[in-house]
Amino acid sequence: MASPFTLQTLIDTVQGGLLLVQPDSGQIIAANQLAAILLAMPHPSLQGRPFSQFLPQAEDSSTLRHLLAQQGMIYNLPFRLISATGRPIEVQLSLREIQLAEQTCLVISFGDRSESHQMRQLIKLEHQLLQRALNMLKSMNQDTSIQLEDDQLMGVVSIQQLLGNAHSETGRIRRYGGALAGMLVQIINLPPRDDDAARRQLLRLAGSLCVQGTRDSDQVAHQREDAFLVLMPNTSLDGAQEVAQRLLQVLGQLVYRNQEQECPVEVCIGLSALRTAESAPNAMFQRLEDALEQARQAGRNRISRQA
């Protein structure tokens, strides 16, 4: 028989758990490290142990011998082993007889099916997460494409462009003086979401009217689905109030149909202006949100301002 060192070196190269067992006694005569790990027993302690110790039922040993006698070898048989700590191990078990140095040995190899199953589940989950992310990205791209198309039709600028211009205008005012006002226009009663065509049509009309109702030097951006942000350089808060009143009247003339009923559009507007001591427009934008909320709380078709 091969020397223990040569034998151990050989079986340690085998993938999966591997045991060499004496057919008559059923004792383990050699094992690789992975078998020791899976069976939860130190490698030196495995040698001399009966293989039946790791079988759940006493008749499992005779069942394996019967299958081996019938088939000549067993290959990837779904089977269950029990570790030294009592943990069930679902495995793919292979078994055959070999002649090793003129001595018959049983070669038993096995891989942990539960780990493979968990790995497949992880791969499946990763695939699902990746597919979900791709679907979300596709949906976002579609929404962005629709938004760009609508913005072009309305003649509004992007919100990023408006915010950048607001900072530039604030810097100019700090150097040379002047005024800057803002207006936040919200459509309170959009058509229901299941009528996407009506919602888009109404928002297009509202955005176009906001552009037409302001000066060429003013900028209008679609801040969120139901709201438009207007930046008005060289405009005081009183001047912005006059523009807001005109827009309130014009937008209030829009009507859409819902369930065979005509619904007049309801609007709320928040106003604010850059303060003398402010070096950035951020605080003004926050006051616009606060003023819009005040207008909403006051009712419909209202204007609220925060100096």
mmCIF file of all heavy atoms in Angstrom, residues 25 50 71 78 164 166 177 181-182 188 230 242 254 285 299 302:
data_model
loop_
_atom_site.group_PDB
_atom_site.id
_atom_site.type_symbol
_atom_site.label_atom_id
_atom_site.label_comp_id
_atom_site.label_asym_id
_atom_site.label_seq_id
_atom_site.Cartn_x
_atom_site.Cartn_y
_atom_site.Cartn_z
ATOM 1 N N SER A 25 -14.401 -3.628 7.638
ATOM 2 C CA SER A 25 -14.643 -3.014 8.947
ATOM 3 C C SER A 25 -15.457 -1.731 8.866
ATOM 4 O O SER A 25 -16.061 -1.296 9.848
ATOM 5 C CB SER A 25 -13.307 -2.720 9.638
ATOM 6 O OG SER A 25 -12.573 -1.737 8.898
ATOM 7 N N PRO A 50 -15.520 4.711 12.357
ATOM 8 C CA PRO A 50 -16.406 3.994 11.430
ATOM 9 C C PRO A 50 -17.197 4.998 10.592
ATOM 10 O O PRO A 50 -17.714 5.996 11.114
ATOM 11 C CB PRO A 50 -17.321 3.197 12.364
ATOM 12 C CG PRO A 50 -17.318 3.961 13.649
ATOM 13 C CD PRO A 50 -15.946 4.591 13.763
ATOM 14 N N GLN A 71 -24.954 -1.524 -9.179
ATOM 15 C CA GLN A 71 -24.558 -0.595 -10.231
ATOM 16 C C GLN A 71 -23.059 -0.582 -10.519
ATOM 17 O O GLN A 71 -22.630 -0.032 -11.532
ATOM 18 C CB GLN A 71 -24.999 0.830 -9.842
ATOM 19 C CG GLN A 71 -26.498 0.946 -9.578
ATOM 20 C CD GLN A 71 -26.889 2.317 -9.056
ATOM 21 O OE1 GLN A 71 -26.100 3.247 -9.086
ATOM 22 N NE2 GLN A 71 -28.119 2.437 -8.577
ATOM 23 N N PRO A 78 -28.146 11.899 -4.354
ATOM 24 C CA PRO A 78 -28.616 12.793 -3.291
ATOM 25 C C PRO A 78 -28.730 12.010 -1.985
ATOM 26 O O PRO A 78 -29.433 10.999 -1.912
ATOM 27 C CB PRO A 78 -29.994 13.256 -3.792
ATOM 28 C CG PRO A 78 -29.947 13.047 -5.272
ATOM 29 C CD PRO A 78 -29.098 11.831 -5.482
ATOM 30 N N GLY A 164 -28.420 77.060 -11.288
ATOM 31 C CA GLY A 164 -27.101 77.625 -11.590
ATOM 32 C C GLY A 164 -27.193 79.111 -11.890
ATOM 33 O O GLY A 164 -26.359 79.908 -11.421
ATOM 34 N N ALA A 166 -29.479 81.094 -10.800
ATOM 35 C CA ALA A 166 -29.843 81.799 -9.563
ATOM 36 C C ALA A 166 -28.589 82.140 -8.759
ATOM 37 O O ALA A 166 -28.457 83.240 -8.206
ATOM 38 C CB ALA A 166 -30.794 80.941 -8.735
ATOM 39 N N GLY A 177 -25.376 95.252 -7.124
ATOM 40 C CA GLY A 177 -26.683 95.641 -6.628
ATOM 41 C C GLY A 177 -27.788 95.155 -7.555
ATOM 42 O O GLY A 177 -27.554 94.700 -8.671
ATOM 43 N N ALA A 181 -36.247 88.002 -7.470
ATOM 44 C CA ALA A 181 -37.437 87.422 -6.855
ATOM 45 C C ALA A 181 -37.668 86.028 -7.425
ATOM 46 O O ALA A 181 -37.199 85.694 -8.516
ATOM 47 C CB ALA A 181 -38.663 88.301 -7.089
ATOM 48 N N GLY A 182 -38.396 85.227 -6.672
ATOM 49 C CA GLY A 182 -38.739 83.874 -7.113
ATOM 50 C C GLY A 182 -40.206 83.611 -6.905
ATOM 51 O O GLY A 182 -40.866 84.227 -6.058
ATOM 52 N N ILE A 188 -52.835 72.389 -8.004
ATOM 53 C CA ILE A 188 -53.319 71.627 -6.851
ATOM 54 C C ILE A 188 -54.099 70.386 -7.261
ATOM 55 O O ILE A 188 -53.995 69.335 -6.636
ATOM 56 C CB ILE A 188 -54.206 72.524 -5.949
ATOM 57 C CG1 ILE A 188 -53.404 73.748 -5.493
ATOM 58 C CG2 ILE A 188 -54.713 71.744 -4.744
ATOM 59 C CD1 ILE A 188 -52.154 73.414 -4.727
ATOM 60 N N VAL A 230 -40.122 79.821 -10.918
ATOM 61 C CA VAL A 230 -39.861 80.972 -11.786
ATOM 62 C C VAL A 230 -38.804 81.846 -11.114
ATOM 63 O O VAL A 230 -38.933 82.209 -9.940
ATOM 64 C CB VAL A 230 -41.138 81.798 -12.043
ATOM 65 C CG1 VAL A 230 -40.845 82.941 -13.013
ATOM 66 C CG2 VAL A 230 -42.259 80.906 -12.575
ATOM 67 N N GLU A 242 -47.368 91.125 -8.790
ATOM 68 C CA GLU A 242 -48.183 91.472 -9.959
ATOM 69 C C GLU A 242 -48.163 90.340 -10.992
ATOM 70 O O GLU A 242 -49.197 89.993 -11.567
ATOM 71 C CB GLU A 242 -47.661 92.769 -10.588
ATOM 72 C CG GLU A 242 -47.809 93.994 -9.692
ATOM 73 C CD GLU A 242 -47.231 95.245 -10.337
ATOM 74 O OE1 GLU A 242 -46.804 95.152 -11.517
ATOM 75 O OE2 GLU A 242 -47.205 96.296 -9.672
ATOM 76 N N LEU A 254 -57.925 77.384 -17.086
ATOM 77 C CA LEU A 254 -57.747 76.039 -17.635
ATOM 78 C C LEU A 254 -58.785 75.091 -17.036
ATOM 79 O O LEU A 254 -59.119 75.170 -15.847
ATOM 80 C CB LEU A 254 -56.342 75.508 -17.312
ATOM 81 C CG LEU A 254 -55.167 76.226 -17.986
ATOM 82 C CD1 LEU A 254 -53.857 75.636 -17.504
ATOM 83 C CD2 LEU A 254 -55.271 76.113 -19.502
ATOM 84 N N PHE A 285 -35.177 80.092 -1.819
ATOM 85 C CA PHE A 285 -35.915 78.934 -2.312
ATOM 86 C C PHE A 285 -36.688 78.252 -1.190
ATOM 87 O O PHE A 285 -37.801 77.773 -1.382
ATOM 88 C CB PHE A 285 -34.960 77.941 -2.976
ATOM 89 C CG PHE A 285 -34.415 78.428 -4.288
ATOM 90 C CD1 PHE A 285 -33.085 78.231 -4.614
ATOM 91 C CD2 PHE A 285 -35.233 79.073 -5.210
ATOM 92 C CE1 PHE A 285 -32.577 78.679 -5.831
ATOM 93 C CE2 PHE A 285 -34.740 79.522 -6.421
ATOM 94 C CZ PHE A 285 -33.406 79.327 -6.742
ATOM 95 N N GLY A 299 -56.215 77.852 1.303
ATOM 96 C CA GLY A 299 -57.269 77.437 0.386
ATOM 97 C C GLY A 299 -56.749 77.238 -1.015
ATOM 98 O O GLY A 299 -55.569 76.925 -1.213
ATOM 99 N N ARG A 302 -54.711 80.790 -4.212
ATOM 100 C CA ARG A 302 -54.209 81.785 -3.274
ATOM 101 C C ARG A 302 -52.740 82.087 -3.574
ATOM 102 O O ARG A 302 -52.011 81.278 -4.144
ATOM 103 C CB ARG A 302 -54.308 81.286 -1.827
ATOM 104 C CG ARG A 302 -55.728 81.008 -1.376
ATOM 105 C CD ARG A 302 -56.587 82.256 -1.369
ATOM 106 N NE ARG A 302 -57.918 82.010 -0.904
ATOM 107 C CZ ARG A 302 -58.316 82.162 0.361
ATOM 108 N NH1 ARG A 302 -57.439 82.571 1.261
ATOM 109 N NH2 ARG A 302 -59.568 81.919 0.698
#
